[in-house]
Amino acid sequence: MDLEEIRVAVLRIEGTNCEDETVKAFRNLGVYAEAVHLKQFYSDTVREDEQRSLFDYHCLVIPGGFSAGDYVRAGAIFSARIKSVLRRDLEVFIKEGYPVLGICNGFQVLVELGALPGFDEDKPIAEKPEMTLTVNASARFECRPSLLKHENKCAFTNLLDIGEVVMFPVAHAEGRVVFPKEREEEILNTLIENGQIVFRYVDESGNYAGYPWNPNGSVYNIAGICNVKRNVFGLMPHPERVFWGYQHPEMREGYGDGAVVFQSVIEYLRKNF
Ligand SMILES: NC(=O)CC[C@H](N)C(=O)O
C-alpha cells in the first residue's frame, strides 16, 4: 500500500478530547486521517456525504479523553455504543489484520469492549471483559511524564528496539491494570508467554519501579498491551502528546518519542496491505 492510499479514522463521541492532535500526527506523516463521529457509521440523521463505513479506512484509533463524561466507568459507555453499532465490522476489521489503537480512554474502551487482551484470534472481541483499568491506587488523577520500557513489538511499535525506553506523558484517573483475582496469575503469565506486554513503566535507571514511576499501580507495571495477532494495541500513556520534540520537557528539535507509534503503523500498513 502506498502512503497516499492509507486512510485513518480517529473515532470520537461527546467527551473525547485528543482526536485533533492524533489526526494531525498522521497527516504530518503524509497519510489521510480524519476525526469521525461514531454516528457517521450508522445514523440516517447524518448527511449522505458524511456517512462512513469502517472499511473506508485502514486503521482505527480510539483517542484519549473523557468520553460520555467517564460516567459508569471510563470507557464503559463509549464501548457499549461501539459494540451496539460496529461490533461485526470491527471483528472482521481486526481478523483481516487492520490495526486498531486505543490511547488512554481508548485503551479503556478496548478493554471494556473485550478487544484487549485479545487472546483468541478467531474471536477478536471477547464475550465479556477479561481485565479492567480501574481507579489509580493513589485515588488521584495522575498527570506527568512517564518512562516506558519497550518489551515486545506490535503493529504500532515495530520501529522501536526491544528494551528501548521512551517518554510518553500520562493523564488519567482510571489507569490501573487489574485482572480477576481468581485468574490473575493465569492471565498475567499468558500475556508474558505470548509477548503481549508492549510497554512497562520504569524509572530513570530502567528499573520496574513503584509510584510515582508506575503512576497508577498497574500489576507488573503494565502500561500497554497488544492482542495475540499484534494488530490491536492499547496503552494509557499518550504518544500523540510527544509527537514533536518541543513537547518534551527538554524542548528537543524534530520529532518526539511518540512519533514512532505513528511511523510504525504506517510502515505496518505499507508492508502488509
Ligand atoms: N487522558 C485520558 O484519556 C483520560 C482517560 C479517562 N478519562 C481517565 O481519566 O482515566
Side-chain angles (χ1 to χ4, degrees):
M1 180 179 286
D2 292 336
L3 205 57
E4 307 71 52
E5 296 174 271
I6 295 174
R7 292 173 57 83
V8 180
V10 180
L11 199 54
R12 68 184 185 85
I13 62 168
E14 64 281 3
T16 50
N17 68 11
C18 302
E19 56 268 32
D20 290 347
E21 52 271 50
T22 305
V23 165
K24 287 197 173 93
F26 279 108
R27 288 182 178 172
N28 172 272
L29 295 173
V31 303
Y32 179 83
E34 62 177 352
V36 192
H37 196 287
L38 183 63
K39 65 182 174 184
Q40 290 179 253
F41 289 101
Y42 68 89
S43 168
D44 53 13
T45 64
V46 171
R47 274 203 337 256
E48 202 164 321
D49 64 325
E50 290 190 334
Q51 291 174 8
R52 296 288 186 272
S53 154
L54 192 51
F55 303 102
D56 294 334
Y57 304 98
H58 308 100
C59 176
L60 176 69
V61 181
I62 309 176
F66 296 77
S67 57
D70 281 2
Y71 293 147
V72 180
R73 289 178 307 280
I77 293 171
F78 198 174
S79 70
R81 286 172 59 181
I82 292 170
K83 194 174 266 190
S84 72
V85 296
L86 268 187
R87 181 193 179 123
R88 268 194 300 278
D89 283 356
L90 188 54
E91 288 203 305
V92 173
F93 194 79
I94 295 171
K95 268 187 184 168
E96 290 185 0
Y98 287 110
V100 178
L101 172 63
I103 301 172
C104 201
N105 197 213
F107 185 16
Q108 293 159 338
V109 169
L110 290 175
V111 166
E112 288 279 347
L113 195 54
L116 283 175
F119 288 132
D120 183 350
E121 277 204 44
D122 296 328
K123 266 190 82 45
I125 295 179
E127 280 316 310
K128 63 185 179 63
E130 296 174 280
M131 61 181 279
T132 191
L133 287 156
T134 190
V135 174
N136 298 337
S138 63
R140 282 203 303 260
F141 189 87
E142 300 285 345
C143 180
R144 60 176 168 281
S146 74
L147 297 175
L148 310 172
K149 185 174 278 185
H150 183 226
E151 306 282 341
N152 292 284
K153 290 176 181 272
C154 72
F156 293 90
T157 65
N158 281 325
L159 296 179
L160 269 178
D161 292 333
I162 299 300
E164 199 167 344
V165 176
V166 292
M167 190 293 277
F168 299 170
V170 292
H172 58 261
E174 301 176 42
R176 179 157 54 108
V177 170
V178 291
F179 306 119
K181 265 284 158 265
E182 69 284 3
R183 292 187 61 204
E184 179 171 309
E185 200 178 329
E186 171 213 337
I187 292 178
L188 180 56
N189 288 339
T190 305
L191 288 170
I192 294 169
E193 282 151 30
N194 292 347
Q196 288 180 253
I197 297 172
V198 178
F199 284 125
R200 294 176 69 192
Y201 298 111
V202 291
D203 64 16
E204 286 168 319
S205 310
N207 302 317
Y208 305 113
Y211 189 82
W213 305 99
N214 174 345
N216 45 48
S218 281
V219 63
Y220 200 66
N221 279 42
I222 294 174
I225 62 169
C226 66
N227 65 342
V228 282
K229 198 174 175 66
R230 321 198 81 76
N231 63 322
V232 179
F233 174 45
L235 73 166
M236 286 312 292
H238 287 259
E240 80 287 5
R241 294 186 182 183
V242 276
F243 180 77
W244 294 112
Y246 67 76
Q247 294 173 295
H248 282 266
E250 68 277 20
M251 304 279 283
R252 283 188 225 154
E253 293 298 315
Y255 286 129
D257 284 2
V260 70
V261 168
F262 304 92
Q263 292 159 337
S264 292
V265 72
I266 289 170
E267 189 65 22
Y268 169 84
L269 284 166
R270 296 183 76 174
K271 269 193 180 149
N272 294 284
F273 290 88

